Every structure is written in C-alpha cells, then in structure tokens.
Amino acid sequence: DTEVTQTPKHLVMGMTNKKSLKCEQHMGHRAMYWYKQKAKKPPELMFVYSYEKLSINESVPSRFSPECPNSSLLNLHLHALQPEDSALYLCASSYDGLAGITGELFFGEGSRLTVL
Amino acid sequence: TQLLEQSPQFLSIQEGENLTVYCNSSSVFSSLQWYRQEPGEGPVLLVTVVTGGEVKKLKRLTFQFGDARKDSSLHITAAQTGDTGLYLCAGLPSGTYKYIFGTGTRLKVLA
C-alpha cells in the first residue's frame, strides 16, 4: 500500500463553520505534512509532524489546527476561515528512519477547500 | 531564505520535440525530487536523486543532479501529450524535514 488517502475531496464551508480534513497512510511513515497550494503555485508547507509530535509550524494562523492522533492519521481542524484560505490542501508523508530522513514525499490527492 | 528557481515557467511544445527544465538554487540539498502534478491532483513523485553528478533515466525522462548538489535538470525526449502537467522540483536540506519546492514549470504538449 503506497497510498496517502485524504478526505473529503471537496469541502465548501462558511466563515463561521468548523470542519476537519483527514489524512491516512499505512506505509509506516513517521513524518506527515500539511501543505497548502493555491492555483498555479507550488505547495507551501504548513505543518510537519514527526513521530506524532509537531516539529514544524510555518507561522500558520491559529484558525488552522493540526492533530496527529497516531502514526497513521493526520487531521487539520478548520475554524473561522477566510475566503482567501480557499485552496487545495495536500497531505504528504515520508519515511523517517532512525538513521535519518530519506528524500521522498508521498502526496495524497488533496482536499479542495472553498470558503464562502 | 532557501529558494529553488525553475526555468522556464511555461513551456508549450509540439508532440515529438525534446525539452529541458532546470531547477537551480544557491543552497546544497541532501536529496532532490521531481514531481508531476495534474490539475486538482496531488504531486506524483517521478524520481529522487541523492548523489552529486547522479543521472537517472525513467523511459523518456532523464534527470541529473548537479555535482555540487545545488541544481538539477529534467530532460524529456520525444514529448507526448500525456507529459502535460506542472513539473515541480523539491529539495531537502540536510537534517531537516523542510522540503523546499521549486517555482514550478507548466508544460503543455500539443498534438
């Protein structure tokens, strides 16, 4: 199984709603990532979890709240978003062996978020 | 700030032509990946290069990592319409999880 699965594929929400994006992988990867991608731009890193601990937060606004319940799951909780937060949200994972970090990110298909 | 600049930004060519995409940085990376992304989908990994001077071939695609591990190139021979997409390079600085993505090259191959 070499898949990273993201749900939902599409999400439309109002600025007062609370919703969550979910990501799952069963490759035994110990590093998981959230990226945000606007149209025709490269992905921008938001958060990195390593061994279920938050290791990088790229100064993301608190209306985005990540959670890593276990080594296979990664959530992104959304609350009080703005229309400019509309984007493709990508989850990725990579192997993080004790000897170091190998250089391959595996991406999910993304969750297309529209904030009205 | 570490940057990966890709060139060209846009490329529109006829089927059967050859092309090269470049990925350049002033930083050294422990590894570098190339991805292709189609609209509305996540990036799909094409190749990883880790050794300076390394050349990898994947059918009609040839990837090269610079000797100093600061730059890379992707060469496509006899492009096909199925090669159309956004090509992204991504570098991993030593000892970090912070993959740096290139600015992207949007390729369109016309029949």
Side-chain angles (χ1 to χ4, degrees), chain A residues 72-89:
Chain A
S72 299
L73 293 173
L74 185 66
N75 298 323
L76 186 63
H77 302 299
L78 314 170
H79 175 52
L81 295 194
Q82 304 296 313
E84 60 264 29
D85 296 321
S86 298
L88 182 68
Y89 287 84

Side-chain angles (χ1 to χ4, degrees), chain B residues 10-14 23 25 28 30-31 34 39 43 51 54 60 65-66 68 74 77 79 85 92 96 99 101:
Chain B
F10 304 98
L11 193 53
S12 181
I13 61 170
Q14 293 294 131
C23 174
S25 175
V28 176
S30 61
S31 69
W34 283 92
T51 305
E54 183 176 1
R60 295 176 294 103
F65 201 13
L74 157 61
T77 304
L92 182 64
T96 78
Y99 293 81
F101 274 87

Side-chain angles (χ1 to χ4, degrees), chain B residues 3-14:
Chain B
L3 291 173
L4 269 173
E5 296 285 341
Q6 283 184 240
S7 61
Q9 262 191 301
F10 304 98
L11 193 53
S12 181
I13 61 170
Q14 293 294 131

Side-chain angles (χ1 to χ4, degrees), chain A residues 3-68:
Chain A
E3 279 192 349
V4 176
T5 304
Q6 288 189 244
T7 56
K9 280 197 179 304
H10 300 277
L11 179 63
V12 180
M13 60 187 289
M15 289 191 283
T16 58
N17 292 158
K18 280 187 185 181
K19 298 283 184 185
S20 297
L21 305 180
K22 297 184 184 303
C23 175
E24 191 168 1
Q25 58 86 16
H26 295 288
M27 295 179 277
H29 289 176
R30 303 313 297 266
M32 295 186 76
Y33 309 73
W34 281 114
Y35 283 85
K36 173 183 177 179
Q37 188 176 27
K38 300 286 265 184
K40 301 183 181 179
K41 298 287 187 186
E44 297 173 19
L45 183 64
M46 299 175 73
F47 303 104
V48 183
Y49 273 83
S50 172
Y51 291 88
E52 299 156 49
K53 287 188 167 49
L54 183 65
S55 64
I56 296 178
N57 176 343
E58 287 288 279
S59 302
V60 179
S62 59
R63 57 185 184 268
F64 295 92
S65 175
E67 179 197 18
C68 189

Side-chain angles (χ1 to χ4, degrees), chain B residues 17-20 60-62 74-79 83 87 107:
Chain B
E17 291 184 2
N18 302 333
L19 67 118
T20 302
R60 295 176 294 103
L61 277 59
T62 302
L74 157 61
H75 182 78
I76 301 179
T77 304
D83 296 327
Y87 287 80
L107 172 65

